[in-house]
Amino acid sequence: QVQLVESGGGLVQAGGSLRLSCAASRSIFSFNAMAWHRQAPGKQRELVAAITIPLPSAVTTNYADSVKGRFTISRDNAKNTVYLQMNSLKPEDTAVYYCSAALYSRKYNYWGQGTQVTVSS
């Protein structure tokens, strides 16, 4: 069983920054990929950023167009943790942010409980 625990959400003013953390209950090298998704009220869940982990020394990342240049996904192998650094936050970034992982799958089949991010104007 895999557990993903998010932290770091909160209330921030527009233009501010937050860093989300996702701690996994097993080595992140066991995953094909990890990602952050978000879901705003009345909207579908969307992929924000993903990081693939094909090899210990190789990693690729990709981002939604709406967050490119503002958000950065990264990992700490020793801590089995993936981060999402969010800068220049906008009110439209307000959502519940979910960490996810793809284990033995091309799909994200494990999810955290979510953390609320609220950006005030």
Side-chain angles (χ1 to χ4, degrees):
Q1 188 67 17
V2 175
Q3 290 186 328
L4 302 173
V5 180
E6 302 106 331
S7 61
L11 174 64
V12 65
Q13 288 188 333
S17 299
L18 283 174
R19 189 178 79 159
L20 305 183
S21 300
C22 173
S25 60
R26 60 188 292 165
S27 171
I28 61 174
F29 291 129
S30 62
F31 303 128
N32 292 327
M34 295 185 73
W36 289 94
H37 293 73
R38 69 185 180 187
Q39 187 167 20
K43 295 186 177 181
Q44 289 188 332
R45 188 175 296 187
E46 63 172 346
L47 177 67
V48 175
I51 185 165
T52 58
I53 312 176
L55 294 170
S57 59
V59 62
T60 60
T61 58
N62 61 80
Y63 299 90
D65 288 343
S66 59
V67 306
K68 283 182 180 177
R70 300 189 297 121
F71 290 12
T72 303
I73 189 170
S74 62
R75 68 186 193 189
D76 185 327
N77 302 334
K79 295 182 178 179
N80 293 325
T81 298
V82 171
Y83 302 99
L84 184 68
Q85 178 67 44
M86 306 185 294
N87 298 328
S88 301
L89 283 161
K90 303 176 181 180
E92 50 264 44
D93 294 318
T94 295
V96 178
Y97 284 70
Y98 297 91
C99 176
S100 61
L103 178 64
Y104 310 133
S105 172
R106 293 183 178 276
K107 296 182 179 180
Y108 295 104
N109 48 357
Y110 289 95
W111 295 82
Q113 80 286 355
T115 185
Q116 176 71 46
V117 171
T118 302
V119 184
S120 63
S121 57

